[in-house]
Amino acid sequence: MTDLLRAAGAVVWRGEQSSPEVAVIHRPNYDDWTFPKGKLKSGEHVIAAGLREVREETGLTVLLGRALPPVHYLSAGRLKRVDYWAARAVDDAGFEPGEEVDELRWLPVAQARRLLTYEWDAGLLRALGAAPLDTVPLLLVRHGCAGSRSEWEGDDAARPLDTDGRSQAAALATALPAYRPEPLLSSPSARCVQTLEPYAGRVGAEIRLEPLLSEESQDPQKTPALVGNLSGPAAVCSHGKVLPGLIEALSGKDVHLRKGSFAVLHRAGGQVVSVERYAT
């Protein structure tokens, strides 16, 4: 729907995941209590928008966890979709009251539910407690657009990103900070390496080349073992012929990615508890 309004926000939590506190804001223009959120800017990735809006309205820097169910409602006669995530607060620059948000409260979940103005926000709290809060993200990225394989002369591994692919890589670099992945692993193919380079340059990380992520050298046992042994937040870039089997081996889910898109596998207690897919 071309008339769809898009916004993004988060249910920000701190403390122990067994008894978290969540951040609730008051907006004087609406006289309501809700969660931080705001509209996407033109061309902005939805994940980047969620990070920005939380930071602008609360002063908090967050790491995203599981996606929560999106909220839909009418705004000035137009359908609006708000994407939300569970988000752990990792840095606090200090809340400063302003015209849009004049108060922030950290509350236990039960108290927050009583204070919230909208029923859909109460639904977000129910979803928050439906699965583990403290998860470890594994990002599986399909390389960006790289022209036509049949029209490329020379070694296919050297085929670079095209203009659209470079735009996708730039957008990816704005979304990955939500998860702070490191290490970064890539197929040796140029188009895969180039897809991760903008983010790697932004955070000063190295990209490790792994032949097991290539089309030619992938292995149905060794490739999942390699990626599954990554214990912390990590990003892996590979190919359309590799990733569906890899995702299914790790999560049991049948997920196919378009060029430039990525999946986030959230892990807790050695299990994948959520699988999400995003375009760039």
Side-chain angles (χ1 to χ4, degrees):
M1 175 182 287
T2 57
D3 203 35
L4 181 68
L5 293 172
R6 296 293 304 275
V11 180
V12 184
W13 66 279
R14 70 181 185 184
E16 298 296 326
Q17 66 172 335
S18 59
S19 56
E21 291 183 320
V22 295
V24 182
I25 61 170
H26 181 259
R27 302 185 301 174
N29 290 339
Y30 301 93
D31 191 21
D32 61 4
W33 289 94
T34 186
F35 296 119
K37 66 177 183 300
K39 295 178 183 177
L40 274 64
K41 295 181 178 179
S42 178
E44 188 176 31
H45 195 279
V46 63
I47 290 176
L51 296 181
R52 176 183 53 78
E53 285 291 340
V54 168
R55 186 170 54 251
E56 289 178 356
E57 294 191 344
T58 68
L60 296 167
T61 298
V62 299
L63 292 178
L64 295 192
R66 297 179 289 110
L68 302 175
V71 170
H72 296 81
Y73 58 90
L74 288 177
S75 176
R78 295 176 63 185
L79 182 63
K80 185 174 185 177
R81 170 181 169 133
V82 188
D83 288 274
Y84 286 97
W85 293 264
R88 179 165 57 88
V90 294
D91 186 58
D92 188 352
F95 172 71
E96 295 185 5
E99 292 184 2
E100 293 189 9
V101 178
D102 63 354
E103 189 174 350
L104 181 151
R105 295 184 187 177
W106 286 101
L107 298 172
V109 169
Q111 292 184 31
R113 184 178 292 116
R114 290 193 292 269
L115 181 63
L116 289 165
T117 301
Y118 305 109
E119 176 56 33
W120 58 69
D121 282 343
L124 292 172
L125 286 181
R126 289 191 290 272
L128 191 75
L133 277 180
D134 198 5
T135 58
V136 179
L138 173 63
L139 294 98
L140 301 177
V141 184
R142 185 176 177 185
H143 66 76
C145 295
S148 170
R149 185 189 299 257
S150 62
E151 295 177 1
W152 174 255
E153 297 180 359
D155 183 2
D156 187 64
R159 180 159 51 96
L161 295 179
D162 59 19
T163 300
D164 289 341
R166 291 192 294 273
S167 295
Q168 290 171 323
L172 182 71
T174 70
L176 293 191
Y179 307 99
R180 297 187 184 178
E182 196 174 344
L184 308 178
L185 279 65
S186 175
S187 159
S189 295
R191 55 194 182 274
C192 290
V193 177
Q194 290 172 353
T195 298
L196 291 180
E197 280 180 339
Y199 173 73
R202 177 173 178 166
V203 301
E206 294 185 0
I207 301 173
R208 194 171 89 205
L209 304 186
E210 287 290 351
L212 283 171
L213 298 172
S214 69
E215 292 179 322
E216 299 80 9
S217 301
Q218 65 169 312
D219 181 274
Q221 283 79 44
K222 293 180 180 179
T223 301
L226 168 75
V227 176
N229 284 332
L230 298 170
S231 59
V236 173
C237 189
S238 188
H239 305 267
K241 295 181 179 180
V242 177
L243 289 169
L246 176 58
I247 295 172
E248 185 170 12
L250 295 174
S251 70
K253 303 293 185 180
D254 182 17
V255 177
H256 292 258
L257 299 172
R258 294 178 179 270
K259 291 179 180 177
S261 60
F262 63 98
V264 185
L265 279 58
H266 292 281
R267 300 164 292 169
Q271 302 294 322
V272 174
V273 297
S274 176
V275 179
E276 302 157 15
R277 179 170 52 186
Y278 299 99
T280 55

